[in-house]
Amino acid sequence: DEKLANYIDIGFSPCWDLIPSVRKFVSSFYDRFVTKEMAFRIALTTHELLENAVKYSRDPDARVYVGVTNDGKGHVMVRVESRAAEANIVELRDVFAKMREMGDAQAFYQERMRSSVTRNHGSGLGLARIWAEADFDLELTIENELVIITARSRATQASAGATA
């Protein structure tokens, strides 16, 4: 694991009502340590990953880690862990395979927006938004039923305050 400075580690039972509160807390917390733009990107990423955890989780527990890496460049990592049913794991693997196949965040986002029109549940835009709008790379790790989605900022950010 990366060495994290100014990090948050939250374990809770995510629900739709809590996602905006967690997003606001994360944004407020990081406003002190990173640029406003990066705080927004972190909050967006956290929000979208938590929505996925609520939608696709098999049980009510999820863990959220958010931190600025202590690598001297200020990269940010957001990770959400939750347990998912096999059908949801298959769907996630398919989405990540399509992302790798396309290789272009904006093209993938445009494709997901077009396909969202025909979806029966959810927009399917969360991961695409993280990749395209927040400019975070995404990684999927599956350990039995445990789904770990890690988002890492590609571009470094200028610090707005002290980082440890």
Side-chain angles (χ1 to χ4, degrees):
D1 277 343
E2 296 108 288
K3 296 279 187 183
L4 299 178
N6 303 316
Y7 67 92
I8 300 169
D9 178 0
I10 306 170
F12 69 112
S13 297
C15 65
W16 295 111
D17 294 341
L18 291 177
I19 293 172
S21 297
V22 173
R23 179 181 180 148
K24 185 176 180 180
F25 170 74
V26 166
S27 181
S28 264
F29 182 87
Y30 280 102
D31 270 346
R32 300 184 54 200
F33 303 109
V34 299
T35 64
K36 293 277 186 200
E37 177 199 349
M38 181 57 82
F40 173 81
R41 292 168 51 199
I42 294 167
L44 170 74
T45 300
T46 302
H47 181 102
E48 294 296 344
L49 289 178
L50 282 174
E51 278 196 353
N52 278 355
V54 170
K55 279 190 251 184
Y56 302 114
S57 186
R58 162 171 259 170
D59 58 41
D61 295 324
R63 175 152 242 113
V64 181
Y65 304 92
V66 184
V68 176
T69 58
N70 204 5
D71 63 2
K73 297 177 184 169
H75 287 97
V76 174
M77 189 235 357
V78 179
R79 182 173 66 221
V80 173
E81 299 177 3
S82 62
R83 298 204 177 283
E86 184 60 34
N88 294 330
I89 291 172
V90 168
E91 184 179 341
L92 274 171
R93 282 188 172 130
D94 288 346
V95 169
F96 274 82
K98 287 176 188 170
M99 290 169 71
R100 280 191 304 276
E101 182 182 305
M102 289 194 98
D104 179 279
Q106 293 302 321
F108 180 73
Y109 192 25
Q110 294 297 318
E111 184 275 326
R112 297 301 282 188
M113 282 195 283
R114 282 189 295 276
S115 68
S116 71
V117 176
T118 59
R119 287 179 57 96
N120 293 327
H121 67 283
S123 69
L125 294 175
L127 296 173
R129 287 190 74 202
I130 293 168
W131 193 25
E133 288 183 35
D135 199 31
F136 278 62
D137 286 324
L138 291 158
E139 176 185 322
L140 175 66
T141 305
I142 309 289
E143 298 172 1
N144 296 319
E145 294 178 337
L146 183 64
V147 172
I148 304 166
I149 299 177
T150 305
R152 286 184 183 82
S153 62
R154 279 181 254 152
T156 59
Q157 49 78 33
S159 176
T163 56

